[in-house]
Amino acid sequence: MGLLNNGFSPLLETPRLVPDLGIPVTSATVEIRIINTTCYQKTSTAHLLGQPIPGHETITFPSYAFLVSNRAQGVNVLFDLGMRKDWRKACPPALLPYIGDDGQGAPLQVDVERDIVDILDDDPGNIGITSSDISAVIWSHHHFDHRGDVARFQSYTKLIVGPGLLDRYMHSEIHESEIRGRDIVELDDTSFDLTIGGFPAHDAFGDGSFYLLSCPGHTVGHLCALARVTATPTSTFAFLGGDCAYHCGEFRPSPYIPLPQQVAFKSASWHFPRGPQAGPPVLKNRKILLCAGDFIKDIVHPYKSATESFYETPAEPVVSSHDEACVSTAKMEIFDAHDDVLVCISHDKSLMNHLPFYPHIMNEWHKKGCKQKLHWEFLNDFDLDRNPISPPAALHFRRQR
Ligand SMILES: [Zn+2]
């Protein structure tokens, strides 16, 4: 485990030493394909994260699912499903008045083009993995933008959920018809016989290639996952974060990776088309920007800090337990500080700028330097063109030549 200073140095403050994660050493890996489930949501940032950073008054985000393939065992599983196309059927009735897909008054606007089953069954990359090849669906949690329509999978596809999830949400939020007749595995505390990065961990394939991590707080029974994507010359990992955070500003910067003196990132704005035939999101304006870390700290950061996250962990009822969510996010922050772990939360739109997406595998992210390119890209969401107090903006914010 190396410290992640190379890509970001020099930093504004001396980073805190990163604790070891204690990941068992094995040579087994999984292939990971990140799937854009073609579900987009737009809402007021204040609804999710409290007082928005200027420029970030609205938040627009995709929803990812992960196709996890253990080739040695011939097993494919999905981590999350995104939102089903007929999303009203999965949405709790009490929330329906607040959600719309017409671009009009409802506070949360959603747009879903396709069910994940149809995406897989088209098999655009001829990879030979369709919905009938999925052994199990794992829900990071039960929210309707993650649990998809599991009834569309074959009856032999298992459903795996975290501790206490069904007890808490069955009937109130999960409809019995969605899971009727399906083999359901609700992991209990005895399933998590390892500890990785402070999370209780379950070795899902028994070979150390893919761990499910008990990460409560966002909901009861929320799961994250840690996938070993390379084993040689060293192990590298993808951390599938679910909704452990909605936005990277909830765990960056951190005491382990403070703001750097200069931040380089792509100024990329995504245009999310609407409607059934609208097609995939369009990337606009990919200029490389350089921004002074001091400017971000002193002008943009609400606490003028180089080491604290921009946003705090949301309060209840956005999360089921604020205290547990804070603990889980703090643990994820340590994974994020490791050079050999790429944290992929479900709604981080910047992943689309730098990672290969389904049908391609993302296993080579470390070799391609994706982490350094991605780490600060969420800053695009904030208004970085404001007039600083002193000295003038031109000295602080300029395009790279
Ligand atoms: Zn979500």
Side-chain angles (χ1 to χ4, degrees):
M1 291 291 170
L3 298 181
L4 183 71
N5 292 336
N6 294 341
F8 301 118
S9 52
L11 302 167
L12 285 181
E13 291 192 21
T14 307
R16 190 183 294 171
L17 197 64
V18 186
D20 189 65
L21 294 170
I23 306 173
V25 178
T26 78
S27 59
T29 59
V30 285
E31 287 181 349
I32 297 284
R33 292 176 172 87
I34 179 168
I35 301 173
N36 176 358
T37 64
T38 69
C39 151
Y40 306 105
Q41 298 177 74
K42 182 178 183 182
T43 191
S44 154
T45 302
H47 286 145
L48 299 179
L49 300 173
Q51 179 72 33
I53 309 289
H56 195 214
E57 286 75 17
T58 58
I59 182 167
T60 305
F61 50 86
S63 291
Y64 303 135
F66 296 85
L67 173 58
V68 181
S69 302
N70 185 317
R71 286 171 64 99
Q73 298 184 14
V75 178
N76 303 291
V77 303
L78 283 168
F79 184 84
D80 276 342
L81 300 178
M83 201 182 286
R84 59 193 285 175
K85 196 165 161 50
D86 52 358
W87 54 270
R88 285 183 178 83
K89 290 185 178 165
C91 178
L95 288 184
L96 275 174
Y98 303 99
I99 306 176
D101 56 6
D102 55 0
Q104 301 294 315
L108 174 64
Q109 289 293 322
V110 303
D111 188 63
V112 192
E113 290 166 35
R114 309 190 73 195
D115 278 339
I116 193 168
V117 164
D118 297 321
I119 295 172
L120 289 172
D121 289 351
D122 270 2
D123 194 9
N126 292 316
I127 59 176
I129 304 171
T130 63
S131 63
S132 47
D133 300 300
I134 302 301
S135 304
V137 165
I138 301 156
W139 284 345
S140 69
H141 63 297
H142 70 289
H143 284 159
F144 78 126
D145 57 332
H146 295 259
R147 77 177 196 270
D149 185 2
V150 79
R152 291 200 60 195
F153 286 83
Q154 299 290 331
S155 57
Y156 50 75
T157 303
K158 287 182 189 169
L159 175 65
I160 299 174
V161 300
L165 186 121
L166 292 178
D167 256 5
R168 174 69 182 263
Y169 303 113
M170 193 66 225
H171 305 302
S172 62
E173 298 195 40
I174 304 164
H175 307 298
E176 202 266 336
S177 60
E178 293 176 56
I179 58 175
R180 189 181 296 137
R182 191 167 300 281
D183 190 1
I184 301 172
V185 180
E186 182 175 283
L187 300 170
D188 61 15
D189 290 341
T190 62
S191 317
F192 296 91
D193 51 357
L194 297 166
T195 302
I196 296 179
F199 288 117
H202 169 70
D203 186 351
F205 295 124
D207 61 3
S209 62
F210 188 64
Y211 300 98
L212 295 176
L213 309 174
S214 177
C215 174
H218 181 69
T219 65
V220 171
H222 185 283
L223 296 173
C224 293
L226 184 70
R228 191 185 309 267
V229 293
T230 65
T232 52
T234 58
S235 285
T236 57
F237 301 89
F239 182 95
L240 315 186
D243 279 1
C244 193
Y246 282 115
H247 188 266
C248 294
E250 291 171 63
F251 55 98
R252 295 177 193 156
S254 74
Y256 311 106
I257 306 181
L259 284 169
Q261 290 179 11
Q262 285 215 311
V263 192
F265 56 90
K266 276 194 176 136
S267 163
S269 67
W270 285 94
H271 172 64
F272 292 88
R274 299 190 51 75
Q277 306 300 324
V282 180
L283 186 61
K284 295 178 166 180
N285 185 24
R286 299 190 70 166
K287 296 181 182 109
I288 301 281
L289 297 176
L290 262 183
C291 198
D294 272 331
F295 173 81
I296 294 172
K297 175 169 82 75
D298 295 334
I299 307 298
V300 180
H301 198 293
Y303 314 115
K304 302 188 185 305
S305 171
T307 57
E308 289 173 61
S309 59
F310 284 90
Y311 287 117
E312 293 180 24
T313 300
E316 294 122 5
V318 174
V319 298
S320 71
S321 162
H322 175 73
D323 289 349
E324 286 184 335
C326 286
V327 170
S328 290
T329 307
K331 290 175 185 170
M332 184 170 76
E333 196 176 79
I334 295 172
F335 284 82
D336 194 47
H338 278 267
D339 170 60
D340 43 14
V341 180
L342 185 71
V343 168
C344 305
I345 53 174
S346 287
H347 302 308
D348 177 8
K349 63 180 184 291
S350 50
L351 299 185
M352 285 194 277
N353 295 343
H354 297 292
L355 287 181
F357 267 63
Y358 173 86
H360 306 289
I361 61 170
M362 56 164 281
N363 290 48
E364 297 289 293
W365 67 261
H366 191 270
K367 205 162 128 187
K368 293 178 178 167
C370 296
K371 185 173 177 112
Q372 281 74 12
K373 293 176 194 162
L374 276 164
H375 194 85
W376 298 112
E377 191 133 319
F378 70 94
L379 294 169
N380 268 315
D381 289 343
F382 307 152
D383 176 11
L384 301 181
D385 225 354
R386 273 179 292 162
N387 289 329
I389 297 162
S390 165
L395 294 179
H396 284 270
F397 187 68
R398 58 190 168 81
R399 296 218 166 87
Q400 193 177 44
R401 305 212 180 268

